[in-house]
Amino acid sequence: MESVLSLDDGRWLHPSEKSCPPMVHEAREDPFQFVSTKQPSPPPVLAQVQQASIPPSRVADPRPGPAQDISLNTNEYQHLHVPVNMMQDFLRLARANTEKNLETCGVLAGSLKNRVFHITTLIIPKQESTSDSCQTLNEEEIFEVQDRLSLFPLGWIHTHPSQTCFMSSVDLHTHYSYQIMLPEAVAIVMAPTDTSSPHGIFHLSDPGGVSVIRNCQQRGFHPHEEPEDGSPLYEHCSHVFMNAKLQFDVVDLR
């Protein structure tokens, strides 16, 4: 990670500045929103953290911890910017599955510029879904897109069509594979029927939650022990900012 950051002097090309193949559909802002606008676009703002209590569910681990104070975080996460409209656009792409009570998942990819990660591409892979699970298919297609567009894997996003907003035990194991590759990787959960907390941006607590999942050999839905350091298994992210100026592309491989 340090070797990658040391190479970035701010001149790396933003993937969206390159010409995109036909399969990439651009999700752009309203072209009229800047007409007669005298005020500059607002700076990125810290992602909203949903602190409402989350009721128990039949699956494990429904209680995230609060976001940690960045100034007190010894992991020194790089900031990660998320396009403001991306989550709602993902819900629109997932609507057909959501109406059938089926989950939908996507991969978040992007770039590193000036020591800040930017999510610039939402990849929707081929997948098989149930009401509480989603399995990607033909994963080599995801890697091909990331390689061709020179993108970092920055996390993943999925829906809970009829459940509350939390990370199940299966979700925690899925996210572990992202977070050990990149500590800043995020897991976004969209729960359109959860009126108290319709979305959450999570990651495993480190080192507590990371250690628990690393040493867990179980599969499927199962309970986890609490981390030895007393931290929650996973928590709301404190290094994520919503960026109104950040554009993104959608690559739908379904």
Side-chain angles (χ1 to χ4, degrees), residues 54 87-88 90-91 98 157-166 188-200 202:
I54 298 176
M87 293 189 291
Q88 290 304 316
F90 174 70
L91 278 183
T98 301
I157 184 171
H158 75 291
T159 57
H160 282 184
S162 58
Q163 298 186 67
T164 53
C165 184
F166 68 97
I188 301 179
V189 179
M190 304 298 297
T193 62
D194 187 345
T195 56
S196 65
S197 183
H199 72 268
F202 306 115

Side-chain angles (χ1 to χ4, degrees), residues 27-90:
R28 301 303 187 207
E29 303 289 343
D30 182 351
F32 299 105
Q33 72 175 29
F34 296 112
V35 176
S36 302
T37 300
K38 297 181 180 180
Q39 296 297 328
S41 298
V45 295
L46 189 64
Q48 181 180 2
V49 175
Q50 302 287 347
Q51 298 289 8
S53 61
I54 298 176
S57 171
R58 68 179 183 82
V59 293
D61 308 321
R63 295 174 299 278
Q68 300 298 308
D69 186 340
I70 293 180
S71 63
L72 301 177
N73 194 329
T74 57
N75 289 317
E76 297 182 353
Y77 295 115
Q78 302 297 322
H79 288 178
L80 185 146
H81 287 198
V82 178
V84 167
N85 294 330
M86 187 196 68
M87 293 189 291
Q88 290 304 316
D89 279 8
F90 174 70

Side-chain angles (χ1 to χ4, degrees), residues 80-116:
L80 185 146
H81 287 198
V82 178
V84 167
N85 294 330
M86 187 196 68
M87 293 189 291
Q88 290 304 316
D89 279 8
F90 174 70
L91 278 183
R92 177 179 54 81
L93 292 167
R95 184 178 300 145
N97 277 353
T98 301
E99 292 174 348
K100 300 174 185 177
N101 196 28
L102 298 174
E103 285 194 3
T104 304
C105 63
V107 175
L108 308 174
S111 64
L112 173 69
K113 187 174 183 180
N114 296 330
R115 300 179 66 86
V116 174

